[in-house]
Amino acid sequence: MIVLGFFSALVLGTLALMLPVATAGDEPADFMVSLFTAASAVCVTGLTVVDTPTHWSGFGQLVILLLIQVGGLGIMTFATTLGLLVTRRMRMRSRLSAAAETKTGSIGGVRGLLIGVVRTALLIELAVAFVLWLRWWIGYGEHPLQAAWLAVFHSVSAFNNAGFALWSDSLSRYVADPWICLPIIGAVVLGGLGFPVLHQLRRYHGRVLHWSMNTRIVLLMTGVLLALGSVLFLATEWANPATLGRLDVGGKVLAAFTHSAMTRTAGFNTIDTSAMTSTSWFGTDILMFIGAGPAGTAGGIKVTTFAVLFFIILTEVRGEAAVNVLGKRLPRTTHRQAISVALLAMAAVVGSTMILLAMEDFGLDRTLFEVISAFATVGLSTGITPDLPTAAQLILVALMFMGRLGPITLATALVLRRRRRMYELPKERPIIG
């Protein structure tokens, strides 16, 4: 149902963007442009094949905004909440689907979690939009209504980690403006934490002892990766005149921190990504692939998966039997899930990169960057996506779809089926390593 829900939203979004009223010019958008843009919006990615502010009309931009909001909250979350508001009750099928999408432990808490998800998302988006509205109105002299539209669009795009912007250079013109960058970073990070984490933070506030292992891992890994990413980009881009080199010290720090935050799968850029060094591209690849928190608006394999893999390796190196994380023992099913997610993600990225390299010769650095950006639903780009052939763009669409749903969800829905063997085979161990 989750897969069909996202596919239905993709179809409806494509049809809406193909309407003549959706484009700024006289000609309606063709199918491929509409499909790619709708997929990028509903999968909250931000990759584009056309210039968003000049190609799409106000109606087209509104369609993109709605697709971002629906895709970010989740199709089942949105549909179930809408049904709950209309009928005041939840059917068991809807409860199960919403529980699967939001990674709720039991269906009993779905109703409260869904209401909390929508309420939290709207409050954060409104708060960020208010700050941005004041800045664009008072600081930059925009008309109050235009400032409000800009604020709402970028607030929703930021919280849902979509990365769509209403300027051709994304947010590059505001590279040194903390009143624009910091609220957007805040929305990006909060959206990337995941709804279960936000729910616990809202419920327990500062009572750390009540936080689950998931919440602790997500908060710890988010802080560590934000800091490491900032230091990496400061070191690799400090003297690059096309990126940080032209800024003062304060501007360099803000721009590096902003780029590190955007690799949490947000996709806005305040510096020219295509002009970054190869080292920065590779560092960005790693951060994008890891992503942010599970059951939220971000993509990637998720910080929890990365942490579990790290502790599995640490346990093997130590020669211990059980994998322990933050004072708790991990069940073996979690080991298998983490390994499966990571290997499926690597297979999707490596396979797609090889196919794209066979189609066009943009080099490994740029091609790998674009593939990971699509799979991790990031939206950062080296600028080659519009120049890719149609077949390559369709591969990116498939990667965005897989990245938003998760490789395990998609594989289970399309290929596999859950079954339980009534017998066990004899054990035998191959040589590992």
Side-chain angles (χ1 to χ4, degrees):
M1 286 188 67
I2 296 172
V3 173
L4 289 176
F6 270 91
F7 183 76
S8 299
L10 174 60
V11 171
L12 291 175
T14 302
L15 294 176
L17 291 176
M18 289 180 68
L19 296 174
V21 70
T23 55
D26 297 329
E27 295 293 328
D30 62 36
F31 173 75
M32 192 59 218
V33 170
S34 301
L35 173 65
F36 194 96
T37 304
S40 184
V42 79
C43 296
V44 290
T45 304
L47 283 176
T48 57
V49 291
V50 293
D51 187 33
T52 302
T54 59
H55 185 84
W56 303 108
S57 65
F59 174 80
Q61 293 171 9
L62 180 61
V63 170
I64 292 173
L65 182 66
L66 293 175
L67 290 174
I68 291 172
Q69 186 70 285
V70 172
L73 290 177
I75 303 299
M76 291 299 108
T77 300
F78 180 81
T80 305
T81 306
L82 187 62
L84 183 61
L85 292 174
V86 173
T87 65
R88 300 293 180 181
R89 60 190 179 89
M90 295 174 61
R91 298 176 58 189
M92 181 58 69
R93 182 183 294 271
S94 299
R95 196 182 294 262
L96 289 168
S97 299
E101 187 174 63
T102 55
K103 304 295 189 294
T104 306
S106 64
I107 62 173
V110 171
R111 181 189 179 102
L113 180 61
L114 289 183
I115 295 174
V117 164
V118 176
R119 181 187 299 151
T120 301
L122 293 180
L123 285 176
I124 294 173
E125 289 171 355
L126 286 174
V128 173
F130 180 72
V131 176
L132 294 177
W133 174 66
L134 289 177
R135 182 58 176 166
W136 274 315
W137 175 32
I138 298 174
Y140 290 96
E142 295 282 355
H143 188 278
L145 292 179
Q146 176 65 11
W149 167 243
L150 293 173
V152 169
F153 188 96
H154 290 89
S155 174
V156 172
S157 183
F159 178 76
N160 291 287
N161 280 225
F164 278 89
L166 295 181
W167 289 278
S168 300
D169 60 355
S170 190
L171 299 179
S172 296
R173 63 189 65 192
Y174 305 112
V175 60
D177 188 344
W179 291 99
I180 297 294
C181 293
L182 292 180
I184 288 179
I185 290 172
V188 166
V189 172
L190 288 173
L193 292 179
F195 295 124
V197 173
L198 294 177
H199 179 68
Q200 281 207 338
L201 293 178
R202 182 176 61 87
R203 183 177 180 182
Y204 296 118
H205 303 292
R207 290 177 287 175
V208 180
L209 293 178
H210 292 278
W211 291 355
S212 66
M213 179 195 292
N214 179 76
T215 297
R216 297 181 186 190
I217 290 177
V218 170
L219 293 177
L220 175 63
M221 291 297 296
T222 297
V224 169
L225 292 176
L226 280 173
L228 290 178
S230 301
V231 172
L232 170 65
F233 299 127
L234 277 174
T236 56
E237 298 295 327
W238 183 274
N240 186 349
T243 54
L244 300 185
R246 57 188 175 84
L247 303 173
D248 58 22
V249 174
K252 292 177 192 289
V253 173
L254 178 60
F257 180 59
T258 302
H259 186 73
S260 178
M262 295 311 140
T263 61
R264 317 314 305 143
T265 80
F268 294 107
N269 63 280
T270 57
I271 56 177
D272 186 2
T273 310
S274 64
M276 294 172 70
T277 63
S278 296
T279 307
S280 296
W281 279 345
F282 189 62
T284 303
D285 288 342
I286 296 172
L287 292 173
M288 290 191 301
F289 186 76
I290 295 173
T297 61
I301 64 171
K302 307 299 188 295
V303 292
T304 46
T305 304
F306 182 77
V308 167
L309 293 174
F310 171 79
F311 282 106
I312 289 175
I313 295 172
L314 187 62
T315 300
E316 288 297 321
V317 171
R318 289 176 172 176
E320 298 176 352
V323 178
N324 301 315
V325 179
L326 302 179
K328 298 289 182 68
R329 181 169 56 87
L330 288 179
R332 294 192 179 276
T333 54
T334 304
H335 307 181
R336 296 198 302 267
Q337 289 172 350
I339 294 171
S340 298
V341 167
L343 290 179
L344 285 172
M346 290 179 62
V349 167
V350 171
S352 300
T353 302
M354 292 180 65
I355 295 173
L356 262 63
L357 285 173
M359 291 181 179
E360 292 288 339
D361 187 18
F362 285 111
L364 178 60
D365 284 349
R366 293 179 182 270
T367 304
L368 179 63
F369 191 102
E370 226 72 7
V371 167
I372 294 179
S373 182
F375 173 78
T377 67
V378 182
L380 291 172
S381 175
T382 59
I384 68 172
T385 295
D387 299 324
L388 292 173
T390 300
Q393 292 178 358
L394 286 174
I395 291 174
L396 294 184
V397 168
L399 285 170
M400 290 188 284
F401 199 74
M402 179 187 296
R404 182 65 186 96
L405 293 172
I408 292 294
T409 300
L410 193 62
T412 303
L414 300 181
V415 181
L416 308 176
R417 62 177 181 177
R418 295 181 182 273
R419 60 181 182 177
R420 182 180 178 184
R421 290 186 183 272
M422 303 307 293
Y423 59 90
E424 289 188 359
L425 298 173
K427 291 182 179 180
E428 185 174 350
R429 300 179 65 178
I431 299 174
I432 303 297

